[in-house]
Amino acid sequence: MNTKFKTDVFEGLSKSLKTLSSKYFYDEIGDKLFVKIMSLPEYYLTRAEYEIFDTKSEDIIEKLKLNTLDTIDIIELGAGDGKKTKAFLKVLLAENYKFRYVPIDISQHALNALGASLKTEFSDLEIEIKQGEYFGVLEDIKTNKAQKVIMFLGSNLGNLDDEAAQDFLVKLSNALRVGDKIILGLDLMKPKEIVLPAYNDSQGVTKAFNLNLLHRINRELHADFDISNFGHAPEYDEKTGIARSFLVSKKEQKVCFNGDHTCFTFLKDEKIQTETSRKYNDAILQSFLQHTNLVQTSKISDSNNYFNSYILER
Ligand code: AVI
């Protein structure tokens, strides 16, 4: 069952610059830690994006230039906790738009929780939960003629390397029809005094989130990582706008996976890269869009100019 996870971990730890994919952060414990991260004082991203939806949803809706004659599919990639989405849907309902809300997520559990909380808050809302990989589901609903608005929030695009992020946008644009829209939430480049604490909070929640990856490997792949022998070390390059998180080996050590008799050695201070969190500006997004059939039609910022909601059109 864990074959892909195991292959990825073995491959990552065999590289000369060791890596582990951030997509494996999100087990049950990781999900809970991420919810905590989103309300940390240092983690400005969620607050900034929420402020946009809370105070400027009318503006976003106006800029989307929606077709009011037909039912619109509002498709969210990733279920999230729904707070930002609720602020947006509330305004759409108040303005009498005809729409269905379609959250897509790999986790049925996350979808059920979101669906239940939306139903209690908005009894009239039409929701169609879709469990699966984003592009599999988008392919299935491509033939549906309704105008689509894709919501991809939280600067989740930034967790992909640039090449993967560009591929993602190409695939997304290919899954859409002319006239469909995207609301893309991106964290912006800013001084490291603001970015770094967001990835190294004073309560140590982000550290626990990063280290949970090793706990998960121990639990699911029967490894013997001694967690106390690893530290959490985020870095941010202001010039490129790329933040990276690492786990650092505090001493020379060996970690083995039972049953496979496979061991990996770590030097003192050797790093494992676990996450990329890219920060953007308009030019970087433009360069990514060049490879797609998408154009940016507008952008809406929070009051600190920390975060942008970009409106793209196919
Ligand atoms: C989900 N993603 C956009 C978060 C980020 O900011 O890169 C994940 C995260 N990692 C550490 N803190 C939050």
Side-chain angles (χ1 to χ4, degrees):
M1 186 192 162
N2 285 322
T3 343
K4 175 83 170 90
F5 181 28
K6 186 169 149 188
T7 319
D8 287 351
V9 168
F10 278 25
E11 209 178 285
L13 295 181
S14 306
K15 290 185 185 165
S16 54
L17 294 173
K18 293 183 170 63
T19 58
L20 290 170
S21 168
S22 62
K23 72 178 178 197
Y24 294 117
F25 280 157
Y26 302 92
D27 65 349
E28 220 180 304
I29 299 171
D31 282 346
K32 288 195 178 118
L33 287 167
F34 184 57
V35 169
K36 273 194 176 178
I37 287 175
M38 288 193 288
S39 56
L40 287 170
E42 295 94 338
Y43 197 73
Y44 60 85
L45 289 81
T46 313
R47 265 191 315 284
E49 192 176 34
Y50 176 68
E51 184 205 298
I52 297 175
F53 282 97
D54 189 39
T55 62
K56 297 181 181 169
S57 278
E58 284 87 354
D59 196 9
I60 296 179
I61 293 166
E62 195 189 313
K63 290 190 162 119
L64 281 169
K65 297 196 173 60
L66 297 171
N67 175 355
T68 46
L69 297 174
D70 297 318
T71 301
I72 305 154
D73 275 345
I74 308 283
I75 303 170
E76 181 157 14
L77 306 183
D81 68 349
K83 204 177 155 201
K84 294 169 261 190
T85 315
K86 279 177 193 167
F88 181 64
L89 299 181
K90 202 168 143 185
V91 179
L92 274 176
L93 286 170
E95 294 190 0
N96 291 317
Y97 280 93
K98 283 187 284 172
F99 69 94
R100 291 191 312 155
Y101 173 60
V102 186
I104 306 178
D105 204 285
I106 198 75
S107 157
Q108 187 69 46
H109 177 76
L111 286 167
N112 291 344
L114 177 67
S117 91
L118 282 168
K119 271 285 166 207
T120 20
E121 256 178 80
F122 308 106
S123 50
D124 293 341
L125 182 67
E126 202 187 317
I127 313 176
E128 192 166 336
I129 279 169
K130 298 268 187 196
Q131 191 272 330
E133 299 268 353
Y134 298 159
F135 292 111
V137 177
L138 285 174
E139 198 48 49
D140 288 347
I141 55 179
K142 195 175 175 180
T143 45
N144 177 350
K145 287 211 176 66
Q147 182 182 30
K148 296 185 188 65
V149 176
I150 305 285
M151 301 176 77
F152 191 46
L153 309 184
S155 208
N156 285 334
L157 188 74
N159 292 135
L160 300 175
D161 287 337
D162 287 357
E163 206 182 318
Q166 287 177 33
D167 287 351
F168 183 93
L169 291 171
V170 169
K171 277 172 91 176
L172 188 54
S173 105
N174 289 339
L176 300 180
R177 301 155 72 103
V178 174
D180 289 343
K181 321 278 169 150
I182 301 172
I183 307 174
L184 179 65
L186 295 180
D187 191 20
L188 302 177
M189 288 169 80
K190 55 180 72 66
K192 62 174 180 300
E193 289 71 21
I194 303 170
V195 175
L196 270 180
Y199 294 91
N200 207 5
D201 64 279
S202 56
Q203 295 170 50
V205 184
T206 314
K207 177 180 175 183
F209 180 64
N210 200 5
L211 287 170
N212 178 54
L213 188 47
L214 301 185
H215 281 295
R216 181 175 183 185
I217 294 172
N218 279 352
R219 277 192 303 268
E220 294 183 26
L221 304 179
H222 311 291
D224 61 2
F225 275 101
D226 179 342
I227 314 296
S228 63
N229 286 337
F230 287 85
H232 165 67
E235 295 176 7
Y236 178 61
D237 181 347
E238 278 184 357
K239 282 202 200 88
T240 59
I242 297 179
R244 294 186 207 279
S245 286
F246 298 91
L247 290 165
V248 183
S249 174
K250 291 182 185 168
K251 59 178 203 179
E252 194 178 323
Q253 57 184 316
K254 192 164 93 174
V255 172
C256 295
F257 290 71
N258 286 338
D260 280 286
H261 310 289
T262 306
C263 297
F264 296 92
T265 51
F266 294 83
L267 300 172
K268 184 176 180 321
D269 297 326
E270 186 173 350
K271 300 194 268 190
I272 312 171
Q273 190 191 310
T274 51
E275 190 179 43
T276 298
S277 300
R278 171 180 258 303
K279 311 301 165 197
Y280 293 83
N281 58 26
D282 293 357
I284 295 169
L285 178 61
Q286 268 323 310
S287 72
F288 284 17
L289 294 182
Q290 269 177 19
H291 308 273
T292 70
N293 294 316
L294 301 168
V295 284
Q296 183 206 313
T297 55
S298 23
K299 67 172 176 188
I300 295 111
S301 314
D302 67 303
S303 54
N304 291 310
N305 287 317
Y306 282 178
F307 202 96
N308 277 347
S309 297
Y310 287 96
I311 313 260
L312 313 179
E313 180 169 337
R314 163 77 213 255

